[in-house]
Amino acid sequence: MERSALEIQKLVIIGSGPAGLTAAVYAARANLRPLVFAGHQYGGQLMLTTEVENYPGFPTGIMGPELMEAFREQAERFGARIEFVDVTRVDLKGPPFTVATDEASYKTQGLIVATGASARWLNVPGESRLRGRGVSTCATCDGAFFKEKKIVVVGGGDSAMEEALFLTRFGSSVTVVHRRDALRASKIMADRAKAHPKIDFVWNTAVEEVLGDPVMTGLRLRNLVNDRVYEYEADALFIAIGHDPNTGIFKGQLELDKAGYIVSEDGVRTNVEGVFVAGDVYDIRYKQAITAAGMGCKASMEAEKYLEALEAEESEQRVSA
Ligand code: NAP
C-alpha cells in the first residue's frame, strides 16, 4: 500500500551520479536538506568504470566507484538524505510536485532531474539470451570471468577503447569490432588501444547475431563494405555503443527531444517551472563526469533562487490574506 510522506520537501533530486550528488552537496550546504533518490544502484555510470584519469584534482587518477563514494559522503556530511530506491512515477503539475517510489509518495517544491543515461544494447538475436553468459555492457563487472578467453568489444568511442584496454588484463585477445573505418574515441584513447599488442580491430563490420548455447561461442558478423557474412569465434562480447537517457517517467510531462533527452533552453531549466535538469539526461554533447558535476552545481543554485522566490511569494500572499 502506498504511504504518503506528509512533510513537503523543499528539494528532491532524482539521480546520484556526479550531477545529482553535486547538486546534493550544494543544496545541502544551502540548508535545503535535499532528499536524493539514488536508485537501487547509486553512483551512476562511474560505478561501472575503472580508472578515471581526467577528473581534476586526482593527478594519478581515481577509481570510478571510489570517486562516487566520496561524492556521496560529501553530500551526506552536509545533511543530504539519500534513499536507495528508484522513483517510479512523478506528477509535475505543481508545485508541489509528486515524486513516488513503489513504497511511498512525496511532495516537493523543487525538483532536480539527474537521472543520467543507460548503456545501449545492439538488439540482435542471441544478445539477451546470452546476457550474463558471455554478453555484457560492463567490463569492470564481468571482465574477470574471461581469463585467457577471446573477447570482442563492439563500438568505436571512448567507452569501447576503455573497455578494450581494461579487458586486456584478462583476455588472450581483445578484438574491437566497429561499424566504420574510423574511431570516434579521443586521440589519446584511440592511440593507446591501437598500440596495445593484445588489441586488434575489425573495421566496417556489424554484429548481426550472438551465437552459442548455453554460453556464447561466437558472433555472426557482416562486413558492411562487401556484405560478406561470416562466423567469428569468441567467448565474450562487451557492448560499448553509447547510452540512452533515463527519461521514461517524465514522458508527457517534461519536453523531450527525439532521442528522449530532456530539452532545456539554458541547460538548467526545463519546460516546467521549478523542475531543473543536470547531467547526461540532458547533455548529449560532453557527457563527462566533470561537466555533469558542473551542471549539478548550476541546477542546485538555480533551484535555490527559485525556492527563495517561491517562499517570498507565499509569505506575501499570507500577509495580504
Ligand atoms: P559514443 O562516443 O557515442 O560512441 C559510441 C560508439 O558506438 C560510436 O563509435 C558509434 O559508432 C558506435 N555505435 C553506436 N550505436 C551503434 C550500433 N547500434 N551498432 C554498432 N555501433 C554503434 O559513446 P561512448 O563511447 O559511450 O562515450 C560517450 C561519452 O563519454 C563521450 O563523450 C566520451 O568521450 C565519454 N567517455 C570518456 C571516457 C574517458 O575519457 N576516459 C571514457 C568513456 C566515455 P559511430 O562512431 O559510427 O557513430
Side-chain angles (χ1 to χ4, degrees):
M1 207 180 52
E2 202 174 80
R3 171 166 66 83
S4 225
L6 291 175
E7 179 195 359
I8 296 183
Q9 308 294 322
K10 281 191 176 154
L11 184 65
V12 162
I13 297 168
I14 312 179
S16 58
L21 289 178
T22 302
V25 168
Y26 274 77
R29 284 176 52 80
N31 268 343
L32 297 175
R33 292 195 73 235
L35 177 60
V36 181
F37 288 100
H40 280 107
Q41 287 172 315
Y42 94 97
Q45 289 175 64
L46 283 191
M47 298 303 272
L48 306 179
T49 197
T50 48
E51 190 98 16
V52 181
E53 291 182 328
N54 53 9
Y55 199 88
F58 300 93
T60 56
I62 181 166
M63 299 304 279
E66 205 183 318
L67 181 60
M68 293 324 297
E69 175 68 28
F71 270 65
R72 180 167 77 94
E73 271 176 32
Q74 195 173 353
E76 285 180 325
R77 183 181 149 208
F78 295 110
R81 294 158 299 150
I82 303 184
E83 296 271 350
F84 297 92
V85 286
D86 292 321
V87 170
T88 49
R89 185 175 59 82
V90 294
D91 182 347
L92 303 184
K93 285 187 289 301
F97 309 113
T98 302
V99 173
T101 68
D102 278 343
E103 287 86 37
S105 159
Y106 300 79
K107 297 268 182 217
T108 181
Q109 300 281 29
L111 178 66
I112 294 178
V113 178
T115 46
S118 297
R120 212 178 265 162
W121 294 86
L122 290 166
N123 296 320
V124 295
E127 178 185 57
S128 61
R129 181 173 53 84
L130 292 166
R131 220 181 266 186
R133 297 187 170 90
V135 177
S136 170
T137 56
C138 177
T140 332
C141 320
D142 300 326
F145 298 126
F146 301 101
K147 286 201 178 96
E148 293 307 313
K149 301 282 186 191
K150 280 189 76 175
I151 297 175
V152 169
V153 174
V154 62
D158 278 330
S159 297
M161 297 309 107
E162 194 175 66
E163 301 270 273
L165 284 160
F166 177 72
L167 289 162
T168 58
R169 300 183 194 186
F170 309 106
S172 56
S173 66
V174 178
T175 303
V176 176
V177 172
H178 184 36
R179 63 184 179 183
R180 292 189 298 132
D181 63 358
L183 295 173
R184 180 177 295 281
S186 58
K187 191 168 172 347
I188 185 169
M189 298 289 281
D191 287 350
R192 232 183 257 176
K194 282 179 179 168
H196 199 289
K198 268 194 187 176
I199 299 179
D200 64 340
F201 289 82
V202 175
W203 303 105
N204 298 308
T205 296
V207 174
E208 290 214 323
E209 186 175 354
V210 188
L211 307 169
D213 188 14
V215 295
M216 176 181 152
T217 51
L219 300 167
R220 194 181 315 283
L221 300 180
R222 180 184 294 271
N223 181 308
L224 299 170
V225 175
N226 60 22
D227 233 19
R228 183 169 84 90
V229 177
Y230 58 101
E231 283 188 18
Y232 187 91
E233 203 184 294
D235 306 292
L237 172 67
F238 286 85
I239 300 162
I241 60 168
H243 295 84
D244 289 317
N246 298 321
T247 48
I249 55 171
F250 306 108
K251 264 186 201 143
Q253 303 194 66
L254 290 182
E255 191 186 343
L256 307 179
D257 70 9
K258 262 193 274 168
Y261 287 89
I262 292 176
V263 173
S264 167
E265 270 179 27
D266 58 1
V268 183
R269 290 173 184 78
T270 68
N271 61 310
V272 176
E273 201 186 352
V275 179
F276 302 87
V277 66
D280 287 9
V281 70
Y282 157 79
D283 178 17
I284 49 173
R285 189 177 173 87
Y286 300 105
K287 297 185 254 181
Q288 302 299 301
I290 186 69
T291 49
M295 290 175 70
C297 161
K298 288 202 275 187
S300 185
M301 290 174 81
E302 292 302 335
E304 192 186 337
K305 276 197 201 134
Y306 155 82
L307 290 167
E308 260 171 30
L310 194 68
E311 210 168 286
E313 208 177 284
E314 280 173 1
S315 62
E316 230 169 72
Q317 279 168 3
R318 274 197 298 272
V319 170
S320 56

